[in-house]
């Protein structure tokens, strides 16, 4: 009986894992057919899991920019203090298909340094 319950629990976990991964990494919602490059000033930033983010004020619009996980940004040379409000940055990435003010960044240039985020 216990073995059967453990088997059922394992099967349930295996079935739910792909759904959880897709829910978190819904990158299909971004239009990768058109790269977008924006330059602006950081108004706000977050450097937490699962992904860092910035609010980027550009002429005529403020974008919510989804960045990489903090551990990846650290490894690639983009520390938290580089994303301070007031810093000018350029980001290249893809716009969200359904949220007109959101983009996923693939690359960021801050303080003259280019950091690949993917």
């Amino acid at each position: 009986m216990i073995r059967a319950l453990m088997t059922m629990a394992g099967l349930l976990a295996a079935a739910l894992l792909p759904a959880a991964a897709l829910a978190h990494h819904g990158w299909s919602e971004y239009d990768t057919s058109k790269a977008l490059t924006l330059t602006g000033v950081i108004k706000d930033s977050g450097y937490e899991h699962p992904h860092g983010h910035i609010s980027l004020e550009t002429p005529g619009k403020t974008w919510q920019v989804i960045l990489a996980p903090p551990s990846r940004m650290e490894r690639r040379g983009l520390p938290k203090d580089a994303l301070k409000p007031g810093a000018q940055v350029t980001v290249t990435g893809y716009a969200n298909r359904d949220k007109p003010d959101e983009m996923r960044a693939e690359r960021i240039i801050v303080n003259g340094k280019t950091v690949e985020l993917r």
Side-chain angles (χ1 to χ4, degrees), residues 17-57:
L17 189 58
L22 280 174
H24 171 71
H25 289 287
W27 295 136
S28 64
E29 66 187 279
Y30 297 93
D31 184 0
T32 58
S33 70
K34 295 181 235 164
L36 180 64
T37 298
L38 303 172
T39 298
V41 175
I42 296 175
K43 297 312 268 179
D44 186 36
S45 66
Y47 204 85
E48 62 271 342
H49 291 283
H51 300 281
H53 58 88
I54 59 173
S55 293
L56 184 66
E57 186 175 294

Side-chain angles (χ1 to χ4, degrees), residues 24-25 27 30 46-54 65-80 83 91-92 103-108 115-118:
H24 171 71
H25 289 287
W27 295 136
Y30 297 93
Y47 204 85
E48 62 271 342
H49 291 283
H51 300 281
H53 58 88
I54 59 173
V65 181
I66 308 302
L67 303 171
S71 57
R72 183 181 310 155
M73 292 190 290
E74 282 285 337
R75 281 193 313 271
R76 298 199 176 160
L78 184 63
K80 180 179 184 174
L83 300 175
V91 292
T92 299
M103 74 175 291
R104 179 188 94 202
E106 296 288 315
R107 176 179 309 106
I108 187 167
V115 179
E116 296 294 329
L117 299 174
R118 43 189 159 141

